Amino acid sequence: MDISQKTNFLFQPEEGETTGVLLKNIQLKKNILNHFATQGDSTLADLSKELNTSVPKVNEIVSELIAENLVKDYGKIDISLGRKPNLYGLVPDSAFFIGVEVKKDRINMGLMDFKKNLVASSMHIPYDLDNSNESLQALCEAIEEFILGSNIPKEAIWGLGLNLTGRINYKTGYSYNFFNFLDIPLSKYVKQTLNIPTFIENDSRAMAYGEFTNGAVDEEKDVLFINLDLGIGMGIMANGELYYGKSGFAGEFGHIPLFQNEIICHCGKKGCLETEASGEALVRLFKERLILGETSIVSQQYDGIDDLQMQDILDAANNDDTLAIELVAQIGEKIGKGLASLVNLFNPELIVLGGPMANTGDYIILPLKNALNTYSISLVNKDTSLKTSVLGDKAGIIGACMLIRDRLLS
């Protein structure tokens, strides 16, 4: 059976095959696959109980999924008494998902199998993100090259998740900050170009979902993920679910008007948190201090400061550079003050810090914690724990893959 035919039931039945019984069977197939994907391997009895469906019916559908090479019989399991039941689960290489994370100057890509194993990745591919057709074509070519290099047949790839910074409406597939010159949704354009079902998502929200499903989050249900990069993004998990807001734009933490300044943010407003507490702000402040005559190991690497990048400063901080450490600490204090407002508003169980600036460890986290405790209500913040990302720079690609898999099977 062709792999592309297997996935028909994930999207819609064939024309003329929309009977009630067929639709129920399609949904039951998805429910069984979703159970295996989220709960792991199970017996027929467990599936029957969980899905409130008779064992014969479950056996019928599982047999069809085995015939389609999506599910495998993993043999009998040992139990203390009675007849040993068989254990069933997903076939790992029966379906794959691609996660693509687009940054300002690079692309990260990953390939995940059906049992959420990241089987291939390509990180820090040089790229120039720009709102132009040339940039879009370069992105599609990079994805096509990654697919060819993976040696996975394209028909075995069930979906592609594309993460971008800025305002994204994943339901409509539109990006409002980049590639917004298209006459059709970005997701539809990429799907037509690469011939793979495509979903787009805000980069911070995808990173958050990676940590929620595969990373720092354990049993917590109310979590904030903060992406500390050139900008400041946020993903929100409320009662165990991603929170989007009415238009899908919830989480614009970096654009809280926290400061009285005349610095114009890239959103067009003044005084945003990002103007003084982001990676871009760190670079600006660092350059200003160098111009005033202060020294740093970074200044020894360049003849001028025009080419100075955020990562250069973060690397310097991790190598005990005094100026870099001082400015990272200042950034951390300002972010902590902003987080205090979020703690007072959301009363979260957990805050996860991710993105490049989080990799400076205590240099940013200690001043951040101090400000958070100073400016938030003690009765509220005492129940909030703070962690750093477990997945690191792969959080976005893992989150993108998991979002596709979970949405297709939901």
Side-chain angles (χ1 to χ4, degrees):
M1 182 178 188
D2 189 275
I3 294 177
S4 61
Q5 291 178 303
K6 297 179 189 176
T7 61
N8 281 339
F9 71 86
L10 290 175
F11 305 102
Q12 60 184 20
E14 295 291 339
E15 185 176 354
E17 296 182 351
T18 56
T19 65
V21 172
L22 179 64
L23 290 176
K24 287 182 179 180
N25 286 345
I26 288 172
Q27 189 58 53
L28 185 54
K29 278 188 175 183
K30 292 174 71 173
N31 290 345
I32 289 173
L33 290 175
N34 186 54
H35 179 86
F36 287 140
T38 57
Q39 306 301 319
D41 300 345
S42 299
T43 65
L44 295 179
D46 290 337
L47 283 170
S48 173
K49 182 179 179 180
E50 181 69 24
L51 302 177
N52 194 27
T53 305
S54 70
V55 172
K57 185 63 179 178
V58 168
N59 183 53
E60 174 193 333
I61 299 300
V62 167
S63 296
E64 291 181 11
L65 291 170
I66 291 174
E68 294 167 1
N69 196 36
L70 295 173
V71 170
K72 180 179 178 180
D73 182 348
Y74 284 94
K76 298 187 180 298
I77 58 173
D78 290 328
I79 55 175
S80 57
L81 296 173
R83 187 177 178 183
K84 295 179 180 179
N86 286 46
L87 195 67
Y88 299 87
L90 299 175
V91 176
D93 60 358
S94 62
F96 294 89
F97 310 91
I98 290 181
V100 179
E101 181 177 56
V102 183
K103 298 292 187 181
K104 184 178 180 180
D105 58 354
R106 65 191 185 279
I107 305 171
N108 298 325
M109 287 188 271
L111 182 72
M112 180 178 285
D113 69 19
F114 212 173
K115 298 193 80 168
K116 68 179 187 181
N117 301 303
L118 193 65
V119 296
S121 64
S122 183
M123 309 297 291
H124 308 296
I125 303 167
Y127 175 72
D128 184 18
L129 175 60
D130 185 51
N131 191 32
S132 67
N133 186 63
E134 291 76 15
S135 184
L136 177 57
Q137 297 311 311
L139 173 61
C140 292
E141 289 170 7
I143 297 171
E144 189 73 63
E145 184 176 340
F146 176 74
I147 294 170
L148 290 173
S150 72
N151 295 319
I152 300 296
K154 186 175 286 188
E155 61 269 21
I157 300 171
W158 284 16
L160 184 151
L162 178 63
N163 306 339
L164 283 166
T165 185
R167 260 66 69 196
I168 299 289
N169 189 320
Y170 88 91
K171 290 184 179 180
T172 63
Y174 279 99
S175 167
Y176 293 90
N177 292 82
F178 291 96
F179 312 134
N180 52 14
F181 50 81
L182 297 169
D183 294 329
I184 58 176
L186 176 61
S187 60
K188 186 174 182 179
Y189 176 86
V190 176
K191 176 185 177 181
Q192 292 176 350
T193 303
L194 299 177
N195 196 28
I196 299 174
T198 300
F199 303 83
I200 65 171
E201 185 57 272
N202 170 267
D203 59 345
S204 296
R205 193 173 291 118
M207 292 172 70
Y209 198 71
E211 295 291 341
F212 295 163
T213 55
N214 287 46
V217 178
D218 294 319
E219 301 298 324
E220 297 90 352
K221 298 296 183 183
D222 297 293
V223 183
L224 303 179
F225 174 86
I226 310 299
N227 180 18
L228 303 177
D229 205 325
L230 287 169
I232 304 175
M234 181 170 70
I236 305 167
M237 183 166 76
N239 196 27
E241 300 288 340
L242 274 182
Y243 179 75
Y244 283 86
K246 172 64 177 177
S247 304
F249 305 143
E252 292 292 346
F253 175 45
H255 300 290
I256 294 177
L258 197 63
F259 302 106
Q260 293 291 330
N261 63 37
E262 293 301 310
I263 303 173
I264 299 176
C265 181
H266 62 82
C267 73
K269 308 294 183 181
K270 295 180 180 179
C272 292
L273 180 64
E274 283 192 8
T275 63
E276 295 192 27
S278 64
E280 286 188 346
L282 176 65
V283 173
R284 185 189 73 246
L285 293 169
F286 199 87
K287 287 181 177 179
E288 290 173 357
R289 297 284 286 271
L290 292 180
I291 290 171
L292 291 174
E294 298 197 40
T295 59
S296 164
I297 59 174
V298 175
S299 58
Q300 301 169 11
Q301 300 172 9
Y302 299 101
D303 294 331
I305 61 173
D306 291 341
D307 294 329
L308 182 65
Q309 302 293 320
M310 174 186 67
Q311 192 59 50
D312 299 322
I313 304 170
L314 302 181
D315 290 342
N318 287 327
N319 283 285
D320 300 324
D321 182 82
T322 303
L323 178 59
I325 291 171
E326 178 190 341
L327 292 180
V328 166
Q330 288 181 19
I331 294 288
E333 182 180 4
K334 292 171 182 177
I335 292 170
K337 189 173 182 179
L339 281 178
S341 298
L342 297 184
V343 168
N344 292 342
L345 285 170
F346 288 100
N347 189 202
E349 297 173 77
L350 174 65
I351 296 174
V352 181
L353 302 177
M357 287 201 292
N359 294 331
T360 56
D362 285 346
Y363 292 136
I364 195 169
I365 291 172
L366 290 180
L368 185 153
K369 277 185 176 180
N370 288 336
L372 177 60
N373 291 332
T374 299
Y375 294 105
S376 62
I377 299 170
S378 298
L379 188 64
V380 180
N381 71 34
K382 70 181 181 66
D383 291 325
T384 300
S385 57
L386 191 68
K387 293 182 182 179
T388 54
S389 167
V390 169
L391 301 178
D393 58 1
K394 291 183 178 179
I397 58 175
I398 290 174
C401 292
M402 291 299 297
L403 277 166
I404 301 167
R405 194 190 75 154
D406 291 352
R407 283 173 179 162
L408 286 177
L409 297 179
S410 65

